[in-house]
Amino acid sequence: MSRTIRLANLNAYKLGHGLIGGDSWKARVTTIREIAPDVLALQEVVVDETRPPSEWAVEASAVVQQLAAECGMSATTLRADGTPGPTAMASNINRGWYTALLWNPETVEPVRGGFRPLGAPDFWHGYTTCAFDVGAAEPITVGSYHGDPFRGDLRRHEAFRIKSVFRTTGGAKPGLLLGDFNALSAAKVPGPDGEQYYDAEPYLDHDHDDLEYQLLDGTIGGEQLADRRQAEVLLRRGFMVDAAAHLGVPWQPTVGHWEDGRGDPDPWGPRRIDLVLATRPVVPALVGYATHSSPAAKTASDHLPVVCTIDPSKISKER
């Protein structure tokens, strides 16, 4: 029986150098250790933006590497010649907000030259990608993504760029995309009256200024429909599937558990905006999915981690 691989996503809520060693830092470490992922996608590593931009990457790398060390993981990539490369992280050149990838070096291995960080102008936040040997017939590409929080149009454009990392000519590479999408999935499941969204419309009764960040143009004050165009691009023709919807697990929110005033004000309520998407070749390998909602996880961040399990022996290949 082949060994399964566990991938997880955590938006770590403004994880900066000043938090190292404190209670909230310890809650994040505890949460990650509880999950014990083989690969972890991380968002919201932040730096002091009053410092010169030339210093941001050094500060962010120190935070990511410290977190990796305390969780028994690695974040050091391999160059094409096999020598240690930079920390697996990426940012927008204009902002000190980083995404990152961490992994268990005893169970998976980064591919030489397989690290690729992407930032502006393609992404509002950085997009970290890396290829890993997980024991399958060929490496899988994993992406850590943090969607634009303000512009539905840009989230859609980001989706096209994300998709390009996973594409072959007319097909898809084996890969998984994990992240805080800052928007709802477009995945559909069978319902009593036919197909329906796995994530029901959450904004029908909302009335506040921030609606324009999440609703389709022309529906504010009317139908109040969530803007799902970002996910529609990624899910089109089954290029990717939403792991939770595909496996039919009971719906659970990933945000909304922090009351207003604890973190950033939240006018939205419970939603599922942290997703795991798998490309077509990985779909047969999906064997498990869960939202990790331990006491430590609820304390660690305003986002709950999501965890996906795959069986590498079942990953297919597209020609």
Side-chain angles (χ1 to χ4, degrees):
M1 185 176 187
S2 62
R3 183 190 184 280
T4 58
I5 296 294
R6 184 181 299 112
L7 302 99
N9 187 79
L10 174 62
N11 177 317
Y13 185 68
K14 299 180 181 177
L15 182 63
H17 191 270
L19 298 181
I20 294 176
D23 289 344
S24 64
W25 174 272
K26 292 176 182 177
R28 293 171 174 88
V29 171
T30 297
T31 299
I32 295 168
R33 285 190 167 274
E34 287 172 345
I35 297 169
D38 297 291
V39 181
L40 173 69
L42 189 72
Q43 298 88 45
E44 276 198 29
V45 175
V46 300
V47 301
D48 179 1
E49 291 185 340
T50 65
R51 298 174 62 185
S54 60
E55 299 177 5
W56 291 355
V58 174
E59 182 179 335
S61 177
V63 173
V64 173
Q65 291 289 353
Q66 181 69 27
L67 183 68
E70 294 191 29
C71 294
M73 304 185 79
S74 175
T76 302
T77 60
L78 289 177
R79 295 188 174 92
D81 63 2
T83 59
T87 298
M89 64 184 198
S91 75
N92 178 327
I93 59 173
N94 300 309
R95 295 298 309 273
W97 290 55
Y98 288 75
T99 62
L101 286 167
L102 290 71
W103 55 90
N104 181 346
E106 296 184 0
T107 58
V108 303
E109 183 178 359
V111 172
R112 293 184 178 192
F115 165 58
R116 190 178 181 194
L118 297 171
D122 295 313
F123 295 95
W124 173 251
H125 295 101
Y127 176 44
T128 304
T129 71
C130 192
F132 292 96
D133 181 354
V134 297
E138 65 178 287
I140 65 168
T141 299
V142 180
S144 176
Y145 169 61
H146 193 175
D148 187 296
F150 304 119
R151 293 163 291 186
D153 284 344
L154 189 52
R155 285 194 294 270
R156 178 175 176 271
H157 292 159
E158 288 178 338
F160 283 111
R161 189 67 179 95
I162 287 169
K163 201 171 183 178
S164 72
V165 172
F166 292 100
R167 68 176 290 277
T168 60
T169 302
K173 300 176 185 176
L176 293 112
L177 172 66
L178 302 92
D180 168 9
F181 284 61
N182 268 320
L184 298 187
S185 174
K188 293 185 176 181
V189 294
D193 300 314
E195 275 197 331
Q196 63 185 40
Y197 284 121
Y198 179 75
D199 297 272
E201 297 288 350
Y203 310 123
L204 301 179
D205 300 321
H206 283 222
D207 184 16
H208 51 76
D209 289 335
D210 291 343
L211 287 175
E212 59 197 2
Y213 299 140
Q214 287 292 317
L215 294 190
L216 283 172
D217 287 347
T219 71
I220 298 176
E223 295 176 287
Q224 305 264 111
L225 299 179
D227 185 346
R228 305 175 192 254
R229 292 176 297 162
Q230 166 202 53
E232 286 171 352
V233 168
L234 297 167
L235 302 181
R236 188 178 73 85
R237 296 187 69 252
F239 185 89
M240 288 181 165
V241 303
D242 183 321
H246 177 76
L247 292 173
V249 301
W251 184 90
Q252 284 186 273
T254 61
V255 293
H257 57 281
W258 275 15
E259 66 278 6
D260 286 358
R262 183 175 177 186
D264 295 328
D266 180 5
W268 307 111
R271 298 176 299 156
R272 189 184 70 105
I273 59 175
D274 302 84
L275 310 177
V276 179
L277 306 186
T279 62
R280 274 193 300 262
V282 177
V283 173
L286 293 172
V287 295
Y289 180 94
T291 302
H292 187 75
S293 56
S294 71
K298 290 180 178 178
T299 299
S301 174
D302 58 342
H303 291 249
L304 293 174
V306 289
V307 186
C308 174
T309 306
I310 64 170
D311 180 346
S313 70
K314 296 180 179 178
I315 295 175
S316 63
K317 184 178 179 66
E318 287 193 358
R319 294 292 185 184

